Amino acid sequence: MQIELLSNSIDIGKYLKNINVDSGGVAILSLKALHYTIFIRDLHVGAANILKQDALSVGADLAVPRGTVVAKTPYVDCILIATARQLQRLGKKELAQPFGLKEVAYKLQEILKVKKPSHAEVMGVINANDDSFFSASRFKENSAIEAIERMIEEGADIIDVGGVSSAPNSVHVDKAEELRRVKPILDLIQSKKLYDRVKFSIDSYEPLVIEHALMSGFKIVNDITGLANSEVAKLCASYGATTVIMHMQKTPQTMQKSPQYEHILSDIYSFLSSRVQEAEAFGVKDIILDVGIGFGKTLEHNLMLIKHQEHFLTLGKPLLVGASRKSMIDKISPCAPKERLGGTLALHLESVKNGASIIRVHDVQEHVQALKIQQALMNI
């Protein structure tokens, strides 16, 4: 007899099929092997006591503060620990319970529907400005086209072109100057029909710039303001463009001045949820969400958002993460932007593992290779 400890990250269904478990058993046992840890804030103490007993009755558990059983405080924070199978059963029970537990049941159902993407796309970065924090990403006209063609050869799925730096304390640029910077690149992309070889994204929140890009064959609008300008939403809808809605606290000039949140995950979730509703009201159909790594966040905020990407999958949209060579790496392991490739790969691979569908990068070839290796490991 031999006993082997298997990784929790395996495709359990594949292993069950390999030992010839029947199809019904594969479905049931796969749910039992999938575990969830769910943080519930401000739950009515009566609901907490009911949920605790119901969780135990299905084999799950609810961690509650001391004094919950005697209702020491009216509301408590709890942590629910359960398998997918247990969540299914628990969700049905809570539909009939008081104190807001029906809302909990609906959320559990949402969580169970979440499926992590099986593949992540690589978005290469082209900056048409002189002040982007990473100098190697700055290009003009013909050099930009050469870089784009190189990224395509290296395996980029998307190329993101922008004319304005959004780094902390960057200088504001008016829309005419922004268009002047990117127009030669956009026109060359159109004349060479490079949009037939790769998807193009315009990194802008100025309608003047965005419309020129969309007329040049671009299919994605990457808006760091999260569609703060309704004219951008209207343009995206009229051209049928995919829209990236990003979260940013304050502006690039002020965002890193003491960023604060009550609860980082819930606060950004609420923002993205409301912006999705607004975008869809304007007729935007294809939406990608970006939690905005480095845009008004501390190091701890950024790490929390990468670690818990899966939380945002319940919004039902693909997730983009852009941590490439950002200063959060320097805060952990001091180094200049040109020395941050290792840290970037670590952050992006963790993001993909936790649910990201797109990673925005300065180094396409290295990320394509790293993702292939990660995928091979996941398929074992």
Side-chain angles (χ1 to χ4, degrees), residues 48 135 182 190 198 213-214 216 223 233 334 363:
S135 60
V182 300
Q190 184 179 32
V198 73
L214 294 175
S216 301
D223 183 354
D363 310 278

Side-chain angles (χ1 to χ4, degrees), residues 36 38 40 50-51 53-60 80-98 100-113:
Y36 292 86
I38 302 168
I40 306 173
I50 293 171
L51 187 59
Q53 295 305 312
D54 285 347
L56 290 172
S57 74
V58 299
L80 177 62
I81 303 167
T83 66
R85 179 70 168 170
Q86 290 161 354
L87 281 189
Q88 276 187 339
R89 297 170 62 193
L90 189 59
K92 292 177 181 178
K93 279 177 171 283
E94 303 321 298
L95 285 172
Q97 298 289 16
L101 283 171
K102 185 178 289 188
E103 181 182 345
V104 172
Y106 291 145
K107 193 65 182 180
L108 296 183
Q109 291 172 359
E110 278 184 21
I111 290 170
L112 284 169
K113 290 178 183 176

Side-chain angles (χ1 to χ4, degrees), residues 77-266:
D77 293 343
C78 313
I79 296 177
L80 177 62
I81 303 167
T83 66
R85 179 70 168 170
Q86 290 161 354
L87 281 189
Q88 276 187 339
R89 297 170 62 193
L90 189 59
K92 292 177 181 178
K93 279 177 171 283
E94 303 321 298
L95 285 172
Q97 298 289 16
F99 303 123
L101 283 171
K102 185 178 289 188
E103 181 182 345
V104 172
Y106 291 145
K107 193 65 182 180
L108 296 183
Q109 291 172 359
E110 278 184 21
I111 290 170
L112 284 169
K113 290 178 183 176
V114 165
K115 301 294 181 187
K116 289 183 184 178
S118 58
H119 169 74
E121 293 185 306
V122 173
M123 173 189 276
V125 178
I126 297 290
N127 288 314
N129 56 58
D130 297 323
D131 57 346
S132 176
F133 79 92
F134 182 46
S135 60
S137 69
R138 303 172 194 163
F139 303 96
K140 291 184 179 179
E141 299 184 35
N142 288 329
S143 66
I145 298 303
E146 290 171 5
I148 287 168
E149 291 181 328
R150 183 176 67 252
M151 288 180 178
I152 293 172
E153 292 300 319
E154 290 174 347
D157 301 285
I158 308 166
I159 306 291
D160 192 43
V161 180
V164 177
S165 174
S166 56
N169 303 310
S170 55
V171 177
H172 176 73
V173 175
D174 67 43
K175 58 187 177 183
E177 171 61 17
E178 182 183 348
L179 182 60
R180 186 194 69 77
R181 293 177 181 182
V182 300
K183 187 177 184 300
I185 300 173
L186 304 187
D187 292 346
L188 283 169
I189 289 170
Q190 184 179 32
S191 66
K192 292 176 176 290
K193 296 185 178 180
L194 292 176
Y195 49 73
D196 286 337
R197 298 174 61 192
V198 73
K199 292 179 285 187
F200 280 95
S201 166
I202 183 67
D203 180 5
S204 178
Y205 49 85
E206 287 291 352
L208 178 70
V209 177
I210 290 169
E211 184 159 28
H212 193 86
L214 294 175
M215 291 172 64
S216 301
F218 281 53
K219 299 298 182 185
I220 303 170
V221 174
N222 186 8
D223 183 354
I224 65 169
T225 71
L227 293 185
N229 185 345
S230 61
E231 292 304 312
V232 175
K234 292 175 184 177
L235 273 173
C236 292
S238 64
Y239 280 86
T242 298
T243 307
V244 180
I245 296 177
M246 194 194 81
H247 173 274
M248 173 172 59
Q249 190 175 87
K250 303 177 184 177
T251 68
Q253 293 74 36
T254 62
M255 63 188 182
Q256 288 308 110
K257 295 179 180 178
S258 302
Q260 295 181 351
Y261 299 87
E262 184 174 1
H263 302 296
I264 183 72
L265 299 181
S266 295

Side-chain angles (χ1 to χ4, degrees), residues 14 49 117 128 143 165 175 179 257 306 314 319 340 365 379:
K14 175 181 174 181
N49 280 311
S143 66
S165 174
K175 58 187 177 183
L179 182 60
K257 295 179 180 178
I306 288 171
T314 57
L319 305 177
R340 297 174 187 167
Q365 185 175 39
N379 289 341

Side-chain angles (χ1 to χ4, degrees), residues 44-46 48-49 64-73 76-78:
H44 189 284
V45 69
N49 280 311
V64 298
R66 294 175 182 172
T68 299
V69 71
V70 293
K72 186 176 180 180
T73 57
V76 295
D77 293 343
C78 313

